[in-house]
Amino acid sequence: MANINEFINTAKELADLAGKKAGEAVEVSKLKINHIKINGELQKAYEKLGAFVYKYQKSGEDNDELIAMCVKEIDDLMAALEENEQKINETRHKVKCTVCGAINDLQAVYCAKCGEKLPQETEEFYVEMDMNSNQACDCCEQSDCEADSDSDQPSCNC
């Protein structure tokens, strides 16, 4: 009977994990669509700036205020693009190297591309489910023992 309960618990954990992964995939897809939208707006802003610069250069006029507005719009879109990219990386459990821009696993300490130390977040992040969490306790051989799994020494009350 214990084996059936373990099987059911494992099946539930796997179903929960699959649900979380599906939710993450949907969120990443939404963020990617937003990324494409922001890129399109950015392209239009660059074209608008180029058209103004061309027009004023040809006519000999100066309109620094209008050009400054276009530059601010581009800066705002670039910031939104960076924020969106950061959200994608967080959802995928990835971190971007501040030196070379390479994408690394969130748990990585050093960049896989350039070797630079990666920024470490202070908050706890989602940790993948340990598929061995239902193994029997080392000291009492019970699968439902509440031993402290973070410690090297068992601390259950067996």
Side-chain angles (χ1 to χ4, degrees):
M1 189 71 166
N3 288 339
I4 293 173
N5 288 337
E6 287 179 33
F7 176 76
I8 291 172
N9 287 338
T10 302
K12 286 180 184 178
E13 289 173 1
L14 289 173
D16 289 344
L17 181 61
K20 287 178 185 176
K21 291 293 183 183
E24 288 173 11
V26 168
E27 184 64 25
V28 168
S29 295
K30 288 179 182 178
L31 290 168
K32 282 184 175 182
I33 290 169
N34 191 38
H35 199 78
I36 292 168
K37 178 184 165 204
I38 295 170
N39 266 328
E41 291 173 8
L42 187 59
Q43 185 65 35
K44 287 178 187 175
Y46 277 129
E47 290 172 3
K48 184 169 57 172
L49 175 62
F52 286 142
V53 169
Y54 178 79
K55 175 183 171 186
Y56 293 125
Q57 186 67 33
K58 277 299 248 191
S59 68
E61 296 178 45
D62 283 333
N63 195 337
D64 293 336
E65 184 179 314
L66 187 58
I67 291 175
M69 267 183 15
C70 289
V71 169
K72 183 180 179 341
E73 180 183 0
I74 290 171
D75 288 344
D76 291 344
L77 288 169
M78 293 288 281
L81 199 62
E82 181 65 31
E83 183 180 326
N84 193 66
E85 185 177 329
Q86 186 177 4
K87 287 179 184 178
I88 290 172
N89 289 336
E90 287 173 4
T91 304
R92 286 181 165 172
H93 310 293
K94 303 285 183 183
V95 65
K96 184 177 181 180
C97 177
T98 55
V99 175
C100 70
I103 304 298
N104 295 276
D105 285 335
L106 193 59
Q107 294 81 17
V109 177
Y110 296 97
C111 177
K113 184 174 181 183
C114 71
E116 182 70 22
K117 187 167 174 76
L118 296 171
Q120 298 296 310
E121 299 292 333
T122 56
E123 62 186 73
E124 289 188 27
F125 288 92
Y126 174 81
V127 178
E128 293 292 331
M129 180 179 71
D130 181 10
M131 295 307 293
N132 298 323
S133 62
N134 284 336
Q135 287 185 342
C137 177
D138 290 334
C139 61
C140 67
E141 300 299 321
Q142 294 181 13
S143 62
D144 59 350
C145 176
E146 296 186 17
D148 184 7
S149 60
D150 294 335
S151 170
D152 290 339
Q153 299 295 324
S155 63
C156 67
N157 298 325
C158 305

